Amino acid sequence: MADYDLADPLEETAEAIATMEVRGAATIAGEAADALATQARETDAADPEAFRATMRAAARRLRETRPTAVSLPNALRYVLQRMAGDDVETLRESVVRAAAEFDRRLERAQEDLGQIGANRLQDGDTIMTHCHSTDALACVEAALEQGKEIDAIVKETRPRKQGHITAERLRELGVPVTLIVDSAARRYLDEVDHVLVGADSIAADGSVINKIGTSGLAVNARERGVPIMTAAQTIKLHPETLTGHTVEIEMRDEAEVIDAETRADIGEIAVENPAFDVTPPRYMDAIVTESGQFPPESIVTLMRELFGEGADEPWAES
Ligand code: RI2
């Protein structure tokens, strides 16, 4: 494989995504698009073919960081598909422009989705959250702007405790927050009007791939009669699932679950750390996107409209 000279900022972004310093499907997508723009500005590729090859290599480097959130390849696809020109300068400008456009669309999509999700929430409702999703929080923010009062029960979300980020953001918005450990969720569901989660990928059959623990929460919510919605802008739709591919579930380091000393004290055990799980469509009430609210089973219609019958891989080495 050819060796490409990738700019330091691109390597830094790739590392930050891999270590989850930069996390959350939408945020990862925006940072990846920006990293491609920076690479385009900084590359000293001498001719159009070298420029294109470097950009493809940069996209591959970003792509390999985390496998589950489809917003990442969708962002790379958006930018690379708009890379056009017969000379390096024109190519460079096209990439920078596409990345800026992508960022604007991302922001607008989240705002529009927030308005739609907010319509599902009533004044005085209590929500339960899992992990930290900016798409989900956009719905709460819009509901508050509509003058509704919302309370939140926030699941801690082991092992990385992203529930703490949600708790902090909700407090900044003035929402009363009760933090609980994950295993307390079912006990509190009777006090909840809506479970509100985000998504890393949505499959063509309406399955929702989100932070580990979402599927158990959804089953419990259904059993308790509490509606559950996922807030997911359309960059979370996984085009490859249209042609039968499944979504890879990221397995992360066991050190996120248990420290080495405790593990040694316990004795010989295996430790596994899947970052995501799959909630079947029958346990999800609605998928809220910037293009409207969908019953999970009908999301395939929107996917076909946006992606046709599948997706290409513009980062492939030619
Ligand atoms: P937004 C996160 O994954 C969570 O699973 C969250 O629900 C999802 O991304 C979507 O986040 P991780 O990056 O795009 O914390 O809504 O592993 O911000």
Side-chain angles (χ1 to χ4, degrees):
M1 206 207 300
D3 202 10
Y4 297 96
D5 192 16
L6 300 180
D8 288 348
L10 187 120
E11 282 295 346
E12 281 158 23
T13 300
E15 196 51 30
I17 294 172
T19 57
M20 290 178 65
E21 192 188 314
V22 167
R23 57 147 299 280
T27 309
I28 289 170
E31 294 275 337
D34 293 349
L36 287 183
T38 306
Q39 176 68 43
R41 278 195 212 93
E42 296 196 1
T43 182
D44 52 10
D47 57 71
E49 203 26 64
F51 182 91
R52 286 175 183 277
T54 304
M55 293 311 302
R56 287 196 296 266
R60 287 197 297 277
R61 173 72 185 97
L62 291 163
R63 172 84 185 89
E64 74 190 12
T65 53
R66 295 192 73 192
T68 304
V70 75
S71 52
L72 173 57
N74 281 347
L76 303 173
R77 202 174 273 126
Y78 185 96
V79 175
L80 289 194
Q81 281 171 345
R82 287 160 182 77
M83 176 166 72
D86 296 330
D87 58 82
V88 169
E89 213 33 59
T90 313
L91 282 163
R92 199 189 311 276
E93 280 164 18
S94 70
V95 170
V96 171
R97 197 169 42 243
E101 255 168 39
F102 181 80
D103 284 345
R104 276 195 298 276
R105 287 173 69 118
L106 203 61
E107 208 174 308
R108 205 177 323 128
Q110 198 165 73
E111 276 173 29
D112 292 351
L113 162 162
Q115 295 298 329
I116 296 166
N119 293 336
R120 290 181 64 88
L121 305 176
Q122 304 295 316
D123 187 24
D125 274 355
T126 298
I127 57 162
M128 181 179 281
T129 64
H130 183 62
C131 198
H132 177 64
S133 156
T134 56
D135 281 353
L137 281 216
C139 302
V140 180
E141 204 168 345
L144 298 171
E145 277 162 14
Q146 291 172 0
K148 295 169 183 168
E149 278 183 24
I150 306 289
D151 281 31
I153 296 180
V154 171
K155 289 179 76 227
E156 180 185 41
T157 319
R158 279 274 288 155
R160 303 272 304 211
K161 296 188 180 156
Q162 293 108 320
H164 291 186
I165 312 172
T166 299
E168 198 180 334
R169 295 283 180 276
L170 286 171
R171 282 309 301 143
E172 283 163 10
L173 294 171
V175 171
V177 167
T178 304
L179 181 74
I180 59 168
V181 296
D182 295 311
S183 38
R186 188 169 180 278
R187 179 184 163 92
Y188 284 88
L189 275 170
D190 286 340
E191 298 173 21
V192 167
D193 300 290
H194 289 273
V195 173
L196 173 56
V197 297
D200 295 80
S201 283
I202 308 274
D205 70 347
S207 295
V208 172
I209 295 90
N210 192 47
K211 183 58 51 182
I212 190 80
T214 304
S215 63
L217 176 61
V219 171
N220 280 332
R222 177 53 50 86
E223 187 258 340
R224 298 275 81 190
V226 182
I228 171 164
M229 66 162 147
T230 184
Q233 47 182 301
T234 52
I235 52 157
K236 317 279 178 69
L237 302 180
H238 203 305
E240 286 165 37
T241 60
L242 281 166
T243 49
H245 292 275
T246 51
V247 179
E248 183 183 340
I249 299 294
E250 176 181 5
M251 300 298 287
R252 295 190 60 84
D253 199 297
E254 63 178 46
E256 292 182 344
V257 177
I258 191 167
D259 64 78
E261 198 184 329
T262 315
R263 192 184 196 289
D265 287 348
I266 294 173
E268 189 56 34
I269 53 166
V271 180
E272 296 215 342
N273 183 19
F276 303 101
D277 65 19
V278 181
T279 302
R282 65 183 179 279
Y283 293 113
M284 190 60 70
D285 291 278
I287 298 175
V288 173
T289 77
E290 73 275 23
S291 304
Q293 168 188 298
F294 294 82
E297 291 83 359
S298 73
I299 202 74
V300 65
T301 319
L302 178 63
M303 287 178 82
R304 288 225 173 86
E305 234 172 72
L306 295 173
F307 297 105
E309 283 304 313
D312 58 354
E313 296 203 337
W315 47 80
E317 223 168 349
S318 59

